[in-house]
Every structure is written in structure tokens, then in C-alpha cells.
Amino acid sequence: MSATIIDGKVIAEKVREEVRLAVANMQQVHGYAPGLATVLVGEDPASSTYVRSKQRTCEQLGIRSLGYHLPAETTQKELENLVAELNANPEVNGILVQLPLPKHLDEEAVLNKIDLAKDVDGFHPVNIGRLAMKGRDPLFIPCTPAGCMRLLEETGVTLKGADAVILGRSNIVGLPMAMLLQKADATVTICHSRTKDLQAHLKRADVLIAAVGRTEMVTGDMLKPGVVVIDVGINQKEDPTAKRGYRLVGDVDFESAKEVAGAITPVPGGVGPMTIAMLMANTLRAAEIALSKK
Ligand code: NDP
């Protein structure tokens, strides 16, 4: 058996197209386009690349992009003042503070200061709290888990009653993913570095979300036949034949897993493209919320 490959590039393009159309419609009806402020502190090359990519996608979809690049030695007070300024600016619908911040800054304190209605990353504790609670909905869902849910939805996976296993419990991926799957009526097991018998949990999984950051740690023989695998991991694997000397692989060994799974996301080209697409969808939603308050 060879698994269905879940094509994140195609599904992300579908999401972007939906956003593009909705933005054009908003512009036509209200004379208003959503605006996303990106805040980058310091010169971390990976963070700079992510921010540039987010700004470029904004431009492609008709979303206004306002970039703020602060020096690495920015103080907590200066950063929080900027967030307060952006909170008060009606031209800004979404505020994205690129993480990680330089070590001397208190990330949690900064994220807490972002206006709930502009929290397009979905990391504000109140948004996360609402995600955890029965009968409550957050204003925004964190982008990577939201992207994983959209991949499952587009693949037609039945989540009600399914046994879902999540590998990893980080605040940005594993934990919100667990809450989303639980809200979708799956029976959720969260595994982490202290889990006793990972293999036993994996063998029961109808749906597996791998978000550990360990090169190809899950192999085909560990999986239940027919499982749907969403591989969030992005790891560098040495490869002398590649131009950069390495290639990107997931937390799941794609080659062996695809022979056992019912469906699987590749790395790259699976979850990766979804994250920015969902950020754009969240920014559109933020603008809709702002318009509804006018
Ligand atoms: P973190 O490092 O924050 O969390 C990793 C989690 O994996 C932790 O909960 C840890 O457990 C668990 N873990 C580590 N080793 C093992 C093990 N041997 N067995 C079981 N569990 C283990 O990572 P993130 O959640 O931030 O990211 C995970 C991966 O996803 C990374 O490769 C990252 O690059 C990628 N990523 C991809 C994104 C995308 O857009 N595609 C977006 C965000 C992340 P414990 O809590 O006990 O330490």
C-alpha cells in the first residue's frame, strides 16, 4: 500500500486564493484592506527570512504590510511601547512579533501586551485559554496547528472518535494541536520526551501529528496501517549530494511511513506552506473583527 500524499503547496494556495478574493471584496465594499504589522528584533537570519516571506505574501494577497525592524539591544520598555502604539493604530489589524526574541527580552510579557483582537499568531494566553475550554472559541488559532487542521479537513479525515496521537507538547504546535483535535471529538494522547512506551501509543493512532524536531524518528514499522500522518518537523539531514550539504526532512521517515500510512504530508511541501497561509487568513479575520466594531 502506498499512502495518499497530502499536498500542502496546493492546499496553501487554495487558502491564499480564498484570502485574496475576500480581501478584494473587502476593498471594494468597504474601501479598506487588512493590515499586518511585523515586528522583528535583531538580526537572526532565519527570523529575517520568515518575516520577509510573510511580508511578500501580504503583498501578493492585497494585505497592507507594515514592517518594524528594531535593533538587537532594544529594551523591554521600547518593545512594549511599540506594541502599545500598534494596538492603538487603527491601520493595524494584526500584530506579529517574530519569535524567538533576543534572550534579554521577556517574550511572554510582550505577547500578553498584544490586543486580543490583533493577536493573529494566536499566542495570547486568553486565546489559548479559550481554545482549551469547552464551549468557548478563541478569536485566533495559532497558525501551524490551524494549518494542520485544514490539511486534515481537505483530506477528508474523520476526526470524530478517532485516536489521535500528538508527538510534542510545545506551546506553538503540540499543545494547541491537542486542544483542536479534542474539540473535533478525537480521543487525544499527547506524547513527549518522558513518555514511557511511545511505540504502544503510535500503534493505536488513527491520526499522528509529529512535532518533535528529531530527524526521521518515527519509522514505518512503528505505525498503525492506514494512519494519517501530519509531519510538522523540519530538520536538516546531511546530504553531500545537496547544494547546501543537507536537505530538509521531517520527524517521520517518509519513505518507510508512506508504505504503511493511509495519507501523509511530505517535508518540505506539507505543513510548511500552510503556516503563512493561515497567518494571512487570521489577518483577514482581524480586519473583519475591526470592521464589525465600526
Ligand atoms: P519544541 O522543541 O518546542 O518541542 C518539541 C517537543 O517534542 C517537546 O514537547 C518535547 O518533549 C518533544 N520531544 C523531544 N524529543 C522527544 C522524543 N524523543 N520523544 C518524544 N517527544 C519528544 O519544538 P516545536 O514544537 O517548536 O517544533 C517541533 C518541530 O516542528 C521542529 O522541527 C520545528 O522546526 C517544526 N516546526 C515547523 C513549523 C512549520 O511551519 N512547519 C512551525 C513550527 C515548528 P518535552 O516537552 O518533554 O521536552
Side-chain angles (χ1 to χ4, degrees):
M1 187 174 79
S2 199
T4 301
I5 309 303
I6 304 172
D7 191 336
K9 285 193 249 172
V10 168
I11 298 171
E13 178 51 30
K14 189 173 169 183
V15 174
R16 285 195 297 271
E17 187 55 24
E18 288 165 6
V19 174
R20 194 182 293 126
L21 289 173
V23 168
N25 185 55
M26 184 180 278
Q27 183 68 265
Q28 204 175 18
V29 176
H30 300 282
Y32 184 84
L36 175 68
T38 53
V39 180
L40 174 65
V41 185
E43 306 298 332
D44 177 63
S47 292
S48 305
T49 306
Y50 289 140
V51 166
R52 265 200 310 278
S53 179
K54 288 166 186 174
Q55 292 171 336
R56 214 175 26 244
T57 313
C58 280
E59 283 152 25
Q60 288 162 359
L61 304 190
I63 293 176
R64 287 172 298 108
S65 159
L66 301 90
Y68 295 83
H69 190 173
L70 307 181
E73 56 278 9
T74 299
T75 64
Q76 184 77 21
K77 183 100 187 77
E78 284 167 337
L79 182 55
E80 289 185 12
N81 284 346
L82 173 60
V83 169
E85 211 179 282
L86 297 173
N87 281 341
N89 183 348
E91 294 295 306
V92 172
N93 300 120
I95 302 171
L96 181 134
V97 177
Q98 184 64 43
L99 303 178
L101 289 171
K103 291 264 179 300
H104 67 282
L105 295 170
D106 179 346
E107 229 165 68
E108 192 185 347
V110 173
L111 296 181
N112 284 356
K113 291 273 186 300
I114 294 176
D115 182 337
L116 207 56
K118 299 190 178 189
D119 175 37
V120 286
D121 249 343
F123 294 154
H124 192 290
V126 173
N127 267 325
I128 295 286
R130 286 184 184 165
L131 189 59
M133 289 167 89
K134 196 174 163 78
R136 305 274 169 87
D137 285 313
L139 288 177
F140 303 100
I141 296 169
C143 302
T144 301
C148 294
M149 289 303 282
R150 181 69 189 256
L151 291 174
L152 291 169
E153 193 186 304
E154 293 281 336
T155 311
V157 179
T158 304
L159 293 175
K160 209 184 204 50
D163 282 321
V165 169
I166 297 152
L167 260 181
R169 55 176 167 180
S170 71
N171 288 338
I172 61 167
V173 191
L175 188 71
M177 199 61 231
M179 299 187 224
L180 284 164
L181 286 168
Q182 185 252 116
K183 266 193 164 38
D185 291 333
T187 303
V188 177
T189 304
I190 304 173
C191 297
H192 45 76
S193 66
R194 305 300 158 102
T195 296
K196 262 199 314 221
D197 190 355
L198 186 60
Q199 174 74 73
H201 294 294
L202 289 177
K203 275 287 176 196
R204 275 202 306 273
D206 302 311
V207 175
L208 169 65
I209 314 289
V212 239
R214 299 252 183 271
T215 302
E216 296 172 335
M217 75 170 262
V218 178
T219 48
D221 57 320
M222 298 164 85
L223 299 171
K224 175 175 168 180
V227 59
V228 176
V229 179
I230 305 290
D231 190 354
V232 184
I234 303 174
N235 310 293
Q236 293 183 1
K237 185 178 181 182
E238 230 176 88
D239 181 353
T241 66
K243 221 181 359 188
R244 293 175 294 190
Y246 66 87
R247 63 194 166 88
L248 295 180
V249 298
D251 291 339
V252 178
D253 173 38
F254 184 78
E255 287 309 315
S256 62
K258 80 175 192 325
E259 298 308 318
V260 183
I264 185 168
T265 56
V267 177
V271 177
M274 295 301 290
T275 298
I276 294 185
M278 300 316 285
L279 173 67
M280 299 297 120
N282 276 354
T283 304
L284 168 67
R285 181 166 157 67
E288 287 167 350
I289 293 171
L291 277 173
S292 73
K293 286 184 184 161
K294 274 191 176 170

